[in-house]
Amino acid sequence: MAQCCINPSILSADFVNLEAELRRIGGADAVHVDVMDNHFVPNLTIGLPVVARIQKVSPVPLDAHLMIADPDRWAPAYAEAGVASVTFHAEAAAAPVRLARELRARGAKAGMALKPATAIEPYLDLLPEMDMLLIMTVEPGFGGQAFLDVTLPKIRRAADAVAGSGLPVAIQVDGGITEETIGRAAEAGATVFVAGSAVYGTEDPNEAIARLRAAAAR
Ligand SMILES: O=C(CO)[C@@H](O)[C@H](O)COP(=O)(O)O
Ligand SMILES: [Fe+2]
């Protein structure tokens, strides 16, 4: 399987020292930034002004995961701020194709996320419009939850559809990714792995990234 990316989530980092926390993950492919609005999910994190500042100081590209209502209105501004990859939720978007096109037109990669109970099939025709599918492997809203094995068949179906299409669409998984679970997600076809507590919950985040990379390749 093609190996790609380990994207640590700063949801598990020290929010008072974000710049220093970013320097601790130089071995990452991108930094995953969880934006929560307390409407789409029952939690509140950071919004555009903070993400735009992180974008200016981060040594690695930003991978924004927008767990927000009305992404059609808010997501394009993240692309304008220079975020490399902007992911909105299919459940929240009124016009996912138009939104993906707006993100791409602003120079960002367009990602679409699905909660665990959202089927992939209604969205497969949209693959040419997307750069990434994010299959949530926990219910969105909080870090530190256990990986849901019931999402594995959906990862597999998404990966099969991408392979069949011949399109360069990444399959990201997010939630409960650890050294123990990452192999199952990789085997199912995931190519981009978000890990919050498994990276920032350790003494040496760069070493944790290297261990996750090795476990995904096993
Ligand atoms: O989007 C989310 C949670 O909604 C994630 O990005 C979490 O931040 C991942 O944290 P861990 O499950 O890896 O601790
Ligand atoms: Fe996330």
Side-chain angles (χ1 to χ4, degrees):
M1 195 221 62
Q3 273 306 289
C4 181
C5 307
I6 305 288
N7 296 2
S9 165
I10 52 160
L11 190 59
S12 299
D14 177 357
F15 268 38
V16 176
N17 295 298
L18 280 181
E19 194 171 1
E21 290 287 69
L22 289 165
R23 282 198 297 269
R24 296 173 75 207
I25 54 161
D29 297 280
V31 59
H32 183 86
V33 180
D34 288 306
V35 175
M36 305 186 189
D37 68 351
N38 196 32
H39 289 277
F40 181 71
V41 288
N43 198 2
L44 187 64
T45 55
I46 54 175
L48 182 60
V50 180
V51 175
R53 273 298 293 149
I54 294 172
Q55 162 63 27
K56 287 218 159 56
V57 301
S58 177
V60 293
L62 262 60
D63 164 37
H65 176 194
L66 306 183
M67 286 162 274
I68 60 173
D70 203 2
D72 305 69
R73 176 174 176 193
W74 301 109
Y78 288 83
E80 262 158 35
V83 171
S85 167
V86 179
T87 298
F88 59 87
H89 268 266
E91 303 88 351
V97 171
R98 185 177 64 205
L99 179 52
R101 289 183 179 187
E102 286 185 18
L103 296 173
R104 284 173 154 183
R106 286 163 176 76
K109 294 205 162 160
M112 188 169 64
L114 304 177
K115 299 205 284 188
T118 304
I120 185 77
E121 282 69 22
Y123 298 101
L124 289 179
D125 287 346
L126 308 191
L127 279 182
E129 304 286 343
M130 304 294 160
D131 299 293
M132 186 164 81
L133 290 175
L134 164 49
I135 311 292
M136 288 301 298
T137 44
V138 298
E139 290 294 347
F142 301 92
Q145 302 180 74
F147 182 86
L148 295 172
D149 279 280
V150 289
T151 61
L152 286 168
K154 182 162 64 177
I155 299 169
R156 203 163 278 125
R157 293 198 305 276
D160 286 349
V162 167
S165 74
L167 293 162
V169 180
I171 307 276
Q172 185 177 75
V173 284
D174 181 11
I177 297 296
T178 64
E179 274 185 81
E180 193 265 318
T181 60
I182 196 167
R184 298 204 287 285
E187 194 275 329
T191 54
V192 182
F193 306 89
V194 175
S197 38
V199 172
Y200 276 113
T202 67
E203 285 289 302
D204 185 341
N206 270 325
E207 194 191 303
I209 291 166
R211 280 203 309 267
L212 286 168
R213 226 183 268 290
R218 236 172 256 143

